[in-house]
Amino acid sequence: MNPLAGRIGLATISLLFFAFIYAPLLIIIVYSFNSNPVNMMIWDHFTTEWYAGLFGLSERGPEIGDQNRSLYLESTDQLLRALRTSLTVALFTTTFSTLVGTATAIALSRYRFRAKRFYNGFLLLPMMMPDIVLGIGLLIFFVTLGMKLSMLTIIIGHCTFLISYVFIIVQARIAGIDPALEEASADLGASEWITLRKVLLPQLAPGIIGGALLAFVISMDDLVITYFIAGTENTTLPVFIFGMIRRGVKPEINAIATLMILASVIIAGLGLWLRARKAD
């Protein structure tokens, strides 16, 4: 095959591949600036009013008519409450999952016991289990205990599988650390606590931060499990958007989805930056 034709073919396939992945996201971003409040597929004119409404900088979007105005403004308030709930849940679950996942990974890498292999397998199982199975199981568990479905049950439910994600990332990072550094620290008279704080944790920092970022994104994005354990008073953003989509795609959804894409890009950029630091 002609080398030039091969490069052109590879470039064409690459462009089609990236277009297939990112075209839906690009459509959401473009239509988030569409002033048409009723049908997002019909372009009216450019506006940033939907973003202004999300941040409380505008009491109303473009002209949507008296009949529809109250519905749209009400939905925006509900959307902001759902966003606050998602952020609260994500912050708590990320903190707890990072602490427990990191401590578990360190403990399993440093101590030997008979059931260690099974312990590893059970830790990874929630990550591989279908979401709908885990959601139903958690719902039955909370009902059996007599717990009211609330923000607490969402946090507990998210922690059950996010700990596994943090654990596997930190464990992979530990595998790449030279144990001679900890042995040298002990030979120099440092206690286990000082060795952990000044030798091990600084080397684990990129893995810990990466695991925390991944846990935060997954918690913000989870729909299936949250749908079963959220109850009626604490709706997260994915659950709320899923409910809105069943009645039609509104402009606020496009705006908040665009902001979520932007947040994901920032988090991914932070992860790449941490990986670059690791390479240096």
Side-chain angles (χ1 to χ4, degrees), residues 86 90 131 158 161-162 214-226 236-239 241 260 264:
S86 284
D131 287 351
H158 283 195
F161 61 94
L162 290 179
L214 181 63
F216 184 85
V217 171
I218 294 176
S219 177
M220 287 289 297
D221 186 56
D222 182 74
L223 168 64
V224 179
I225 296 175
T226 308
T236 60
L237 185 61
V239 175
I241 291 177
M260 292 179 70
S264 299

PDB file of all heavy atoms in Angstrom, residues 86 90 131 158 161-162 214-226 236-239 241 260 264:
ATOM      1  N   SER A  86     -26.432  16.924  44.269  1.00  0.00           N
ATOM      2  CA  SER A  86     -25.382  16.105  43.644  1.00  0.00           C
ATOM      3  C   SER A  86     -24.002  16.505  44.138  1.00  0.00           C
ATOM      4  O   SER A  86     -23.161  15.646  44.428  1.00  0.00           O
ATOM      5  CB  SER A  86     -25.448  16.244  42.114  1.00  0.00           C
ATOM      6  OG  SER A  86     -26.516  15.504  41.594  1.00  0.00           O
ATOM      7  N   ALA A  90     -21.541  14.133  46.204  1.00  0.00           N
ATOM      8  CA  ALA A  90     -20.233  13.830  45.606  1.00  0.00           C
ATOM      9  C   ALA A  90     -19.091  14.209  46.542  1.00  0.00           C
ATOM     10  O   ALA A  90     -18.104  13.470  46.651  1.00  0.00           O
ATOM     11  CB  ALA A  90     -20.095  14.554  44.272  1.00  0.00           C
ATOM     12  N   ASP A 131     -25.210  -2.093  37.688  1.00  0.00           N
ATOM     13  CA  ASP A 131     -25.755  -1.035  38.535  1.00  0.00           C
ATOM     14  C   ASP A 131     -27.160  -1.343  39.021  1.00  0.00           C
ATOM     15  O   ASP A 131     -27.513  -1.048  40.166  1.00  0.00           O
ATOM     16  CB  ASP A 131     -25.750   0.288  37.763  1.00  0.00           C
ATOM     17  CG  ASP A 131     -24.342   0.852  37.629  1.00  0.00           C
ATOM     18  OD1 ASP A 131     -23.421   0.309  38.266  1.00  0.00           O
ATOM     19  OD2 ASP A 131     -24.175   1.831  36.878  1.00  0.00           O
ATOM     20  N   HIS A 158     -23.393   5.203  47.293  1.00  0.00           N
ATOM     21  CA  HIS A 158     -22.278   5.553  46.406  1.00  0.00           C
ATOM     22  C   HIS A 158     -20.952   5.049  46.965  1.00  0.00           C
ATOM     23  O   HIS A 158     -20.083   4.601  46.210  1.00  0.00           O
ATOM     24  CB  HIS A 158     -22.224   7.072  46.217  1.00  0.00           C
ATOM     25  CG  HIS A 158     -23.261   7.578  45.274  1.00  0.00           C
ATOM     26  ND1 HIS A 158     -23.227   8.836  44.706  1.00  0.00           N
ATOM     27  CD2 HIS A 158     -24.390   7.000  44.784  1.00  0.00           C
ATOM     28  CE1 HIS A 158     -24.271   9.007  43.914  1.00  0.00           C
ATOM     29  NE2 HIS A 158     -24.996   7.908  43.959  1.00  0.00           N
ATOM     30  N   PHE A 161     -19.577   1.342  46.156  1.00  0.00           N
ATOM     31  CA  PHE A 161     -18.825   0.969  44.945  1.00  0.00           C
ATOM     32  C   PHE A 161     -17.695   1.949  44.618  1.00  0.00           C
ATOM     33  O   PHE A 161     -16.756   1.587  43.930  1.00  0.00           O
ATOM     34  CB  PHE A 161     -19.770   0.838  43.735  1.00  0.00           C
ATOM     35  CG  PHE A 161     -20.510   2.091  43.368  1.00  0.00           C
ATOM     36  CD1 PHE A 161     -20.005   2.944  42.400  1.00  0.00           C
ATOM     37  CD2 PHE A 161     -21.704   2.412  43.963  1.00  0.00           C
ATOM     38  CE1 PHE A 161     -20.684   4.092  42.037  1.00  0.00           C
ATOM     39  CE2 PHE A 161     -22.387   3.566  43.618  1.00  0.00           C
ATOM     40  CZ  PHE A 161     -21.886   4.405  42.657  1.00  0.00           C
ATOM     41  N   LEU A 162     -17.743   3.183  45.133  1.00  0.00           N
ATOM     42  CA  LEU A 162     -16.652   4.123  44.842  1.00  0.00           C
ATOM     43  C   LEU A 162     -15.377   3.764  45.586  1.00  0.00           C
ATOM     44  O   LEU A 162     -14.272   4.064  45.117  1.00  0.00           O
ATOM     45  CB  LEU A 162     -17.093   5.547  45.198  1.00  0.00           C
ATOM     46  CG  LEU A 162     -18.160   6.149  44.287  1.00  0.00           C
ATOM     47  CD1 LEU A 162     -18.540   7.541  44.749  1.00  0.00           C
ATOM     48  CD2 LEU A 162     -17.688   6.179  42.845  1.00  0.00           C
ATOM     49  N   LEU A 214     -11.824  10.603  40.065  1.00  0.00           N
ATOM     50  CA  LEU A 214     -12.680   9.614  39.410  1.00  0.00           C
ATOM     51  C   LEU A 214     -13.926   9.345  40.245  1.00  0.00           C
ATOM     52  O   LEU A 214     -15.043   9.253  39.713  1.00  0.00           O
ATOM     53  CB  LEU A 214     -11.889   8.317  39.201  1.00  0.00           C
ATOM     54  CG  LEU A 214     -12.651   7.189  38.502  1.00  0.00           C
ATOM     55  CD1 LEU A 214     -13.039   7.609  37.084  1.00  0.00           C
ATOM     56  CD2 LEU A 214     -11.802   5.920  38.450  1.00  0.00           C
ATOM     57  N   ALA A 215     -13.761   9.226  41.563  1.00  0.00           N
ATOM     58  CA  ALA A 215     -14.912   8.987  42.434  1.00  0.00           C
ATOM     59  C   ALA A 215     -15.901  10.154  42.369  1.00  0.00           C
ATOM     60  O   ALA A 215     -17.127   9.942  42.342  1.00  0.00           O
ATOM     61  CB  ALA A 215     -14.430   8.784  43.871  1.00  0.00           C
ATOM     62  N   PHE A 216     -15.382  11.374  42.322  1.00  0.00           N
ATOM     63  CA  PHE A 216     -16.255  12.550  42.257  1.00  0.00           C
ATOM     64  C   PHE A 216     -17.082  12.549  40.959  1.00  0.00           C
ATOM     65  O   PHE A 216     -18.296  12.776  40.982  1.00  0.00           O
ATOM     66  CB  PHE A 216     -15.405  13.819  42.337  1.00  0.00           C
ATOM     67  CG  PHE A 216     -16.193  15.089  42.365  1.00  0.00           C
ATOM     68  CD1 PHE A 216     -16.702  15.584  43.554  1.00  0.00           C
ATOM     69  CD2 PHE A 216     -16.437  15.784  41.190  1.00  0.00           C
ATOM     70  CE1 PHE A 216     -17.441  16.753  43.571  1.00  0.00           C
ATOM     71  CE2 PHE A 216     -17.179  16.950  41.198  1.00  0.00           C
ATOM     72  CZ  PHE A 216     -17.674  17.444  42.393  1.00  0.00           C
ATOM     73  N   VAL A 217     -16.407  12.278  39.846  1.00  0.00           N
ATOM     74  CA  VAL A 217     -17.106  12.282  38.554  1.00  0.00           C
ATOM     75  C   VAL A 217     -18.161  11.185  38.495  1.00  0.00           C
ATOM     76  O   VAL A 217     -19.299  11.411  38.044  1.00  0.00           O
ATOM     77  CB  VAL A 217     -16.090  12.118  37.405  1.00  0.00           C
ATOM     78  CG1 VAL A 217     -16.811  11.904  36.078  1.00  0.00           C
ATOM     79  CG2 VAL A 217     -15.183  13.339  37.318  1.00  0.00           C
ATOM     80  N   ILE A 218     -17.813   9.982  38.964  1.00  0.00           N
ATOM     81  CA  ILE A 218     -18.774   8.872  38.923  1.00  0.00           C
ATOM     82  C   ILE A 218     -19.966   9.166  39.821  1.00  0.00           C
ATOM     83  O   ILE A 218     -21.115   8.881  39.468  1.00  0.00           O
ATOM     84  CB  ILE A 218     -18.084   7.560  39.337  1.00  0.00           C
ATOM     85  CG1 ILE A 218     -17.032   7.173  38.298  1.00  0.00           C
ATOM     86  CG2 ILE A 218     -19.093   6.437  39.495  1.00  0.00           C
ATOM     87  CD1 ILE A 218     -16.237   5.943  38.674  1.00  0.00           C
ATOM     88  N   SER A 219     -19.713   9.738  40.995  1.00  0.00           N
ATOM     89  CA  SER A 219     -20.820  10.067  41.894  1.00  0.00           C
ATOM     90  C   SER A 219     -21.745  11.112  41.270  1.00  0.00           C
ATOM     91  O   SER A 219     -22.966  11.002  41.361  1.00  0.00           O
ATOM     92  CB  SER A 219     -20.260  10.588  43.225  1.00  0.00           C
ATOM     93  OG  SER A 219     -21.311  10.968  44.088  1.00  0.00           O
ATOM     94  N   MET A 220     -21.158  12.129  40.642  1.00  0.00           N
ATOM     95  CA  MET A 220     -21.980  13.160  39.995  1.00  0.00           C
ATOM     96  C   MET A 220     -22.793  12.589  38.839  1.00  0.00           C
ATOM     97  O   MET A 220     -23.873  13.084  38.523  1.00  0.00           O
ATOM     98  CB  MET A 220     -21.074  14.277  39.472  1.00  0.00           C
ATOM     99  CG  MET A 220     -20.494  15.188  40.534  1.00  0.00           C
ATOM    100  SD  MET A 220     -21.734  16.285  41.276  1.00  0.00           S
ATOM    101  CE  MET A 220     -22.237  17.269  39.866  1.00  0.00           C
ATOM    102  N   ASP A 221     -22.278  11.531  38.196  1.00  0.00           N
ATOM    103  CA  ASP A 221     -22.892  11.003  36.982  1.00  0.00           C
ATOM    104  C   ASP A 221     -23.852   9.850  37.243  1.00  0.00           C
ATOM    105  O   ASP A 221     -24.630   9.487  36.362  1.00  0.00           O
ATOM    106  CB  ASP A 221     -21.775  10.552  36.031  1.00  0.00           C
ATOM    107  CG  ASP A 221     -22.314  10.130  34.681  1.00  0.00           C
ATOM    108  OD1 ASP A 221     -23.002  10.934  34.047  1.00  0.00           O
ATOM    109  OD2 ASP A 221     -22.060   8.982  34.273  1.00  0.00           O
ATOM    110  N   ASP A 222     -23.826   9.274  38.436  1.00  0.00           N
ATOM    111  CA  ASP A 222     -24.593   8.052  38.665  1.00  0.00           C
ATOM    112  C   ASP A 222     -26.095   8.305  38.597  1.00  0.00           C
ATOM    113  O   ASP A 222     -26.613   9.220  39.232  1.00  0.00           O
ATOM    114  CB  ASP A 222     -24.251   7.462  40.043  1.00  0.00           C
ATOM    115  CG  ASP A 222     -24.999   6.171  40.272  1.00  0.00           C
ATOM    116  OD1 ASP A 222     -24.630   5.161  39.662  1.00  0.00           O
ATOM    117  OD2 ASP A 222     -25.976   6.181  41.044  1.00  0.00           O
ATOM    118  N   LEU A 223     -26.774   7.463  37.840  1.00  0.00           N
ATOM    119  CA  LEU A 223     -28.226   7.576  37.691  1.00  0.00           C
ATOM    120  C   LEU A 223     -28.937   6.329  38.211  1.00  0.00           C
ATOM    121  O   LEU A 223     -29.868   6.429  39.016  1.00  0.00           O
ATOM    122  CB  LEU A 223     -28.583   7.793  36.212  1.00  0.00           C
ATOM    123  CG  LEU A 223     -30.071   7.646  35.847  1.00  0.00           C
ATOM    124  CD1 LEU A 223     -30.904   8.717  36.549  1.00  0.00           C
ATOM    125  CD2 LEU A 223     -30.265   7.724  34.339  1.00  0.00           C
ATOM    126  N   VAL A 224     -28.504   5.166  37.762  1.00  0.00           N
ATOM    127  CA  VAL A 224     -29.272   3.941  38.013  1.00  0.00           C
ATOM    128  C   VAL A 224     -29.362   3.634  39.508  1.00  0.00           C
ATOM    129  O   VAL A 224     -30.460   3.456  40.051  1.00  0.00           O
ATOM    130  CB  VAL A 224     -28.633   2.758  37.258  1.00  0.00           C
ATOM    131  CG1 VAL A 224     -29.408   1.472  37.546  1.00  0.00           C
ATOM    132  CG2 VAL A 224     -28.606   3.034  35.763  1.00  0.00           C
ATOM    133  N   ILE A 225     -28.215   3.587  40.184  1.00  0.00           N
ATOM    134  CA  ILE A 225     -28.229   3.244  41.614  1.00  0.00           C
ATOM    135  C   ILE A 225     -28.949   4.315  42.422  1.00  0.00           C
ATOM    136  O   ILE A 225     -29.769   4.017  43.299  1.00  0.00           O
ATOM    137  CB  ILE A 225     -26.782   3.048  42.109  1.00  0.00           C
ATOM    138  CG1 ILE A 225     -26.139   1.858  41.411  1.00  0.00           C
ATOM    139  CG2 ILE A 225     -26.752   2.847  43.623  1.00  0.00           C
ATOM    140  CD1 ILE A 225     -24.683   1.650  41.739  1.00  0.00           C
ATOM    141  N   THR A 226     -28.658   5.590  42.109  1.00  0.00           N
ATOM    142  CA  THR A 226     -29.297   6.690  42.838  1.00  0.00           C
ATOM    143  C   THR A 226     -30.803   6.672  42.664  1.00  0.00           C
ATOM    144  O   THR A 226     -31.550   7.031  43.584  1.00  0.00           O
ATOM    145  CB  THR A 226     -28.724   8.033  42.348  1.00  0.00           C
ATOM    146  OG1 THR A 226     -27.300   7.985  42.400  1.00  0.00           O
ATOM    147  CG2 THR A 226     -29.219   9.169  43.215  1.00  0.00           C
ATOM    148  N   THR A 236     -31.026  13.921  42.819  1.00  0.00           N
ATOM    149  CA  THR A 236     -29.739  14.360  42.286  1.00  0.00           C
ATOM    150  C   THR A 236     -29.917  14.862  40.850  1.00  0.00           C
ATOM    151  O   THR A 236     -30.961  14.664  40.222  1.00  0.00           O
ATOM    152  CB  THR A 236     -28.720  13.216  42.317  1.00  0.00           C
ATOM    153  OG1 THR A 236     -29.216  12.141  41.513  1.00  0.00           O
ATOM    154  CG2 THR A 236     -28.492  12.721  43.737  1.00  0.00           C
ATOM    155  N   LEU A 237     -28.873  15.480  40.335  1.00  0.00           N
ATOM    156  CA  LEU A 237     -28.965  16.083  39.004  1.00  0.00           C
ATOM    157  C   LEU A 237     -29.250  15.056  37.901  1.00  0.00           C
ATOM    158  O   LEU A 237     -30.142  15.299  37.071  1.00  0.00           O
ATOM    159  CB  LEU A 237     -27.663  16.843  38.711  1.00  0.00           C
ATOM    160  CG  LEU A 237     -27.650  17.634  37.412  1.00  0.00           C
ATOM    161  CD1 LEU A 237     -28.726  18.703  37.420  1.00  0.00           C
ATOM    162  CD2 LEU A 237     -26.275  18.272  37.196  1.00  0.00           C
ATOM    163  N   PRO A 238     -28.540  13.923  37.834  1.00  0.00           N
ATOM    164  CA  PRO A 238     -28.869  12.946  36.779  1.00  0.00           C
ATOM    165  C   PRO A 238     -30.308  12.444  36.858  1.00  0.00           C
ATOM    166  O   PRO A 238     -30.975  12.282  35.830  1.00  0.00           O
ATOM    167  CB  PRO A 238     -27.862  11.812  37.035  1.00  0.00           C
ATOM    168  CG  PRO A 238     -26.728  12.454  37.732  1.00  0.00           C
ATOM    169  CD  PRO A 238     -27.347  13.504  38.599  1.00  0.00           C
ATOM    170  N   VAL A 239     -30.799  12.200  38.079  1.00  0.00           N
ATOM    171  CA  VAL A 239     -32.179  11.724  38.224  1.00  0.00           C
ATOM    172  C   VAL A 239     -33.159  12.801  37.782  1.00  0.00           C
ATOM    173  O   VAL A 239     -34.162  12.525  37.102  1.00  0.00           O
ATOM    174  CB  VAL A 239     -32.454  11.310  39.683  1.00  0.00           C
ATOM    175  CG1 VAL A 239     -33.925  10.937  39.872  1.00  0.00           C
ATOM    176  CG2 VAL A 239     -31.559  10.149  40.083  1.00  0.00           C
ATOM    177  N   ILE A 241     -32.586  15.301  35.623  1.00  0.00           N
ATOM    178  CA  ILE A 241     -32.522  15.459  34.169  1.00  0.00           C
ATOM    179  C   ILE A 241     -33.244  14.313  33.472  1.00  0.00           C
ATOM    180  O   ILE A 241     -33.948  14.519  32.478  1.00  0.00           O
ATOM    181  CB  ILE A 241     -31.044  15.537  33.717  1.00  0.00           C
ATOM    182  CG1 ILE A 241     -30.421  16.852  34.198  1.00  0.00           C
ATOM    183  CG2 ILE A 241     -30.936  15.435  32.205  1.00  0.00           C
ATOM    184  CD1 ILE A 241     -28.956  16.998  33.867  1.00  0.00           C
ATOM    185  N   MET A 260     -21.353  20.765  32.817  1.00  0.00           N
ATOM    186  CA  MET A 260     -20.801  19.494  33.287  1.00  0.00           C
ATOM    187  C   MET A 260     -19.677  19.014  32.370  1.00  0.00           C
ATOM    188  O   MET A 260     -18.675  18.449  32.826  1.00  0.00           O
ATOM    189  CB  MET A 260     -21.906  18.440  33.379  1.00  0.00           C
ATOM    190  CG  MET A 260     -22.931  18.722  34.468  1.00  0.00           C
ATOM    191  SD  MET A 260     -24.247  17.487  34.538  1.00  0.00           S
ATOM    192  CE  MET A 260     -23.337  16.067  35.157  1.00  0.00           C
ATOM    193  N   SER A 264     -15.871  18.363  33.450  1.00  0.00           N
ATOM    194  CA  SER A 264     -15.181  17.100  33.153  1.00  0.00           C
ATOM    195  C   SER A 264     -13.860  17.366  32.441  1.00  0.00           C
ATOM    196  O   SER A 264     -12.853  16.692  32.709  1.00  0.00           O
ATOM    197  CB  SER A 264     -16.076  16.210  32.279  1.00  0.00           C
ATOM    198  OG  SER A 264     -17.276  15.903  32.946  1.00  0.00           O
TER     199      SER A 264
END
